[in-house]
Amino acid sequence: MKNIKALGLLFLALMVGLAAAVYAAGWAARQSNIASHKVVVAAVDIEMGSKINPQMLTSTDWPSGSIPEGSFKDINELQDRVVKVSVLRGDAVLERKLAPAGTQGGLSAVIAEGKRAMTVRVNDVVGVAGFALPGNYVDVMVNAQQDKGKGEEGKQISKTVLEHVLVLAVAQESSRDDTKPKVVSAVTLELSLEDSEKLDLARSVGTLSLVLRNQIDKKTVATSGITKSQLFGEKEVPPAAVKVAATTTSVYKPKAVIAKPAAQPATECVEVIQNGSRFINCF
């Protein structure tokens, strides 16, 4: 009786195992029937601005229904192309991640169309303690002395001259993957040609400061700047009032002189004889 039960359990186990094997074989067959194509992916991490060579790439099977737009099938198509953004290992190399064909490697390959790269000298304070890293956005502030007008004194003013400026590189590093602060002596910014002129003038007339901003904050705020008197709450006297006051105090008004009336000449005379003396009195 015990042998019959043991044989039954063994037979049941064999049937379950056979069913599992059949199911697994059918699943594998269905998976193999899914159409796939070769897609070029990065075999290593590729830094922004780097020129691609075949050793950096490999091909892998990719399901036909989910092939990313702009992908490549042949590694040779990417020979000497330059990436304008960093590509991580295993990521598909796409056309939108590449600079135009014929572009040479380096920082110039990642500058957006119509933009310019300009470098400014910074220190640990101006450079936001090294937190202004490639890929971040900053505002540029200048502290300078205003031009003097006639009869006026030049005022010290601090004003934001540029907003939402992309940091392309710090020193000679342009990688956007590193988030560790770096205190450097120079920062390269991406600017329009007009903003490049503003920045060049600003650094020649005063001292610059970089103001770090949130990467997703694209709002601009127009300000008129702030002067020293405004900072300390002092009331500014309008130039016209000062000029009038100065003119009033410098005017000399002589005192009026009242002339005394001239003595009227005598018109009548009387001869007087007294005690043998004779004299004349005129009125």
Side-chain angles (χ1 to χ4, degrees):
M1 188 69 179
K2 292 182 179 179
N3 292 335
I4 295 176
K5 289 182 178 180
L7 290 174
L9 291 174
L10 180 60
F11 178 76
L12 181 60
L14 290 174
M15 293 300 295
V16 171
L18 180 61
V22 171
Y23 176 79
W27 181 85
R30 289 193 300 272
Q31 294 298 316
S32 63
N33 290 332
I34 298 176
S36 62
H37 293 279
K38 293 291 185 180
V39 172
V40 178
V41 299
V44 295
D45 293 344
I46 305 176
E47 296 293 335
M48 177 181 64
S50 300
K51 183 176 289 189
I52 297 176
N53 59 60
Q55 288 72 31
M56 297 178 176
L57 307 172
T58 187
S59 297
T60 187
D61 291 328
W62 206 287
S64 300
S66 59
I67 294 179
E69 183 180 356
S71 60
F72 296 86
K73 300 178 181 179
D74 188 0
I75 293 178
N76 293 327
E77 296 180 77
L78 294 168
Q79 180 69 36
D80 294 333
R81 294 292 298 271
V82 176
V83 293
K84 60 182 182 181
V85 295
S86 297
V87 181
L88 300 179
R89 179 181 178 182
D91 287 351
V93 181
L94 307 178
E95 181 65 39
R96 65 173 178 268
K97 297 180 180 180
L98 305 175
T103 303
Q104 299 299 315
L107 184 63
S108 60
V110 304
I111 301 175
E113 184 178 357
K115 298 289 187 176
R116 306 290 188 272
M118 189 171 185
T119 301
V120 294
R121 186 176 298 277
V122 298
N123 53 36
D124 56 342
V125 176
V126 176
V128 201
F131 285 99
L133 299 172
N136 293 157
Y137 288 88
V138 296
D139 295 340
V140 180
M141 187 179 299
V142 63
N143 185 288
Q145 190 86 11
Q146 287 182 311
D147 292 337
K148 298 180 180 180
K150 293 182 179 180
E152 300 178 11
E153 294 184 359
K155 298 177 182 178
Q156 194 78 14
I157 187 170
S158 184
K159 180 174 173 57
T160 300
V161 292
L162 297 174
E163 294 188 67
H164 201 259
V165 178
L166 175 64
V167 178
L168 287 177
V170 293
Q172 285 78 40
E173 298 183 15
S174 58
S175 175
R176 302 184 183 183
D177 298 326
D178 194 359
T179 57
K180 185 178 179 180
K182 297 178 182 179
V183 178
V184 295
S185 60
V187 172
T188 302
L189 307 175
E190 184 182 73
L191 303 164
S192 65
L193 186 57
E194 181 181 358
D195 287 343
S196 299
E197 296 171 345
K198 290 180 180 179
L199 182 58
D200 185 61
L201 179 61
R203 69 181 179 181
S204 68
V205 300
T207 57
L208 299 178
S209 296
L210 302 184
V211 183
L212 188 65
R213 64 185 298 158
N214 191 300
Q215 294 186 10
I216 62 174
D217 181 11
K218 299 182 180 180
K219 296 180 180 178
T220 58
V221 181
T223 65
S224 56
I226 185 169
T227 62
K228 187 186 296 185
S229 59
Q230 292 172 336
L231 179 64
F232 294 109
E234 299 175 0
K235 293 184 179 180
E236 296 186 6
V237 180
V242 175
K243 188 174 182 180
V244 170
T247 304
T248 303
T249 55
S250 63
V251 174
Y252 171 72
K253 294 182 178 180
K255 294 182 179 180
V257 179
I258 302 175
K260 295 182 179 180
Q264 296 293 328
T267 56
E268 296 182 359
C269 295
V270 177
E271 183 179 2
V272 179
I273 299 173
Q274 186 177 3
N275 299 326
S277 299
R278 181 182 175 187
F279 52 90
I280 298 174
N281 288 333
C282 295
F283 300 97

